Amino acid sequence: MKRCGRPKGQETTVIGLPKQRKGNRMVPFANLPSSAKEKIMLSWFVTAEALLMQQQIKVTQVECNAEFIPFACIEDTVDMRLVRKYFTDDAWEVVESVLKAKTKSRLYTCGVCKQKLGKQSVACDCCLKWFDFKCVALKTAPKASRWFCRDCRAQHASQ
């Protein structure tokens, strides 16, 4: 019996276009491996140089101004206790105080215009930033269960 279509394992479609791979999909923050989550969470509080030093993070290396820390750190899908082991006791107290300040204020801002969010907003499932519908060219809530911002999609496409 003659088979139709392209053989299994082909890298191109029937008309010669590159075949899309299903395994290279965007992964929401909640589904990332713990090592990737830890790296992202640490980047919210310390600089890249402090991460490279291979020693516990000290108080002087921690960002203590809550305005510069993203609201992603207080999202339900984020467990900041995962990164406790990387900080000294004093540094962890600073991190906890910043988390308390963020939780107390709960004044979410748009990731594009930096203004206070209105009633129509959406969160990126990858970077956990919030956006106004108008800033990301949406008129209604996305129908998909997962939504990714333009920056995350561009970053994923370049990998």
Side-chain angles (χ1 to χ4, degrees):
M1 182 172 184
K2 186 177 178 184
R3 294 182 181 244
C4 295
R6 62 179 155 68
K8 296 284 185 200
Q10 282 288 84
E11 297 297 321
T12 58
T13 62
V14 175
I15 60 172
L17 297 174
K19 183 177 166 186
Q20 290 184 347
R21 295 283 178 201
K22 292 181 182 177
N24 195 15
R25 293 197 178 170
M26 294 192 64
V27 179
F29 182 85
N31 296 353
L32 288 173
S34 60
S35 60
K37 286 182 185 179
E38 290 171 2
K39 186 176 178 183
I40 293 169
M41 289 187 281
L42 286 170
S43 72
W44 296 334
F45 289 92
V46 296
T47 61
E49 294 85 31
L51 294 175
L52 296 173
M53 293 176 70
Q54 301 291 327
Q55 44 182 290
Q56 282 198 318
I57 298 165
K58 300 177 180 115
V59 176
T60 56
Q61 297 170 317
V62 177
E63 177 59 61
C64 55
N65 189 345
E67 292 178 21
F68 298 122
I69 306 296
F71 276 99
C73 66
I74 58 172
E75 289 289 330
D76 295 337
T77 57
V78 176
D79 184 9
M80 287 301 298
R81 294 174 294 182
L82 288 173
V83 295
R84 167 64 182 99
K85 61 188 172 195
Y86 298 106
F87 293 91
T88 62
D89 292 336
D90 295 337
W92 185 248
E93 287 178 18
V94 171
V95 170
E96 286 182 325
S97 68
V98 169
L99 291 172
K100 285 179 186 173
K102 282 299 222 192
T103 304
K104 189 176 180 181
S105 73
R106 286 276 182 192
L107 183 64
Y108 285 81
T109 57
C110 175
V112 175
C113 67
K114 308 295 185 216
Q115 300 295 317
K116 182 180 172 186
L117 286 176
K119 292 189 186 245
Q120 292 188 322
S121 58
V122 63
C124 174
D125 285 308
C126 187
C127 66
L128 304 177
K129 288 182 186 175
W130 285 84
F131 300 92
D132 288 317
F133 279 7
K134 64 181 178 186
C135 292
V136 290
L138 291 174
K139 293 181 181 175
T140 60
K143 293 181 181 174
S145 62
R146 307 233 186 265
W147 182 82
F148 300 101
C149 68
R150 188 175 295 140
D151 292 340
C152 291
R153 284 182 292 183
Q155 183 180 10
H156 180 75
S158 67
Q159 291 177 351

